[in-house]
Amino acid sequence: RHPSVLRQRAVPSRAVVPRDYPLSARLRAGEFPPAAGADPTERSAGEAAAAADAPPQAQFDLATCLTFNNLDPVDGLRRYRELAKSGAGSLRQDAAVAVATVLLEGIGRDLEEESTAEGVSLLQEVAAAGHAQA
């Protein structure tokens, strides 16, 4: 017999009932992601404070999301710059590489000679420190 016939007999057709999420995994009021087409620059004060208090790796991930998904590249660059100045260890270097990438590729901004020079300078600095991506 043909394998598809055997498969149909082995797995009877039935309606799949979706499982309910446990209470701990459900979103609470105010935690819903913005609706499609919502302006990402219109954040509440609570959201801004929560993002500012996030651990450095979460700040880096948020900057990456904002920048490379073209949600708010200006804010993403600002966050990368803060991490490149105040971050520790490899996260500081990763943030510096990200700043340089944004400046050299013109993400969210026009390419300018000044920003290109800053990007090259940052990459040279991080490369001298032994960062593999630079």
Side-chain angles (χ1 to χ4, degrees):
R1 297 190 180 222
H2 195 269
S4 65
V5 172
L6 295 175
R7 197 173 317 126
Q8 287 174 354
R9 287 184 181 176
V11 181
S13 174
R14 64 179 174 194
V16 177
V17 179
R19 294 184 181 179
D20 194 11
Y21 288 109
L23 288 175
S24 61
R26 293 183 190 170
L27 292 174
R28 291 163 190 74
E31 294 179 339
F32 294 100
D39 186 359
T41 60
E42 293 180 10
R43 295 185 182 95
S44 70
E47 289 173 321
D53 292 339
Q57 183 62 53
Q59 288 281 349
F60 183 87
D61 294 341
L62 176 59
T64 301
C65 179
L66 292 171
T67 303
F68 294 103
N69 289 312
N70 206 27
L71 296 173
D72 191 354
V74 173
D75 188 36
L77 178 59
R78 179 189 61 78
R79 291 174 188 276
Y80 279 140
R81 284 185 189 276
E82 288 175 6
L83 287 168
K85 289 179 185 174
S86 63
S90 66
L91 186 62
R92 181 186 172 284
Q93 293 178 337
D94 289 343
V97 169
V99 169
T101 302
V102 171
L103 294 175
L104 292 171
E105 292 185 8
I107 298 172
R109 61 188 305 143
D110 291 331
L111 282 175
E112 300 169 354
E113 193 170 319
E114 182 179 310
S115 63
T116 302
E118 180 185 358
V120 169
S121 174
L122 278 169
L123 281 180
Q124 288 173 340
E125 176 185 324
V126 178
H131 193 276
Q133 243 183 331

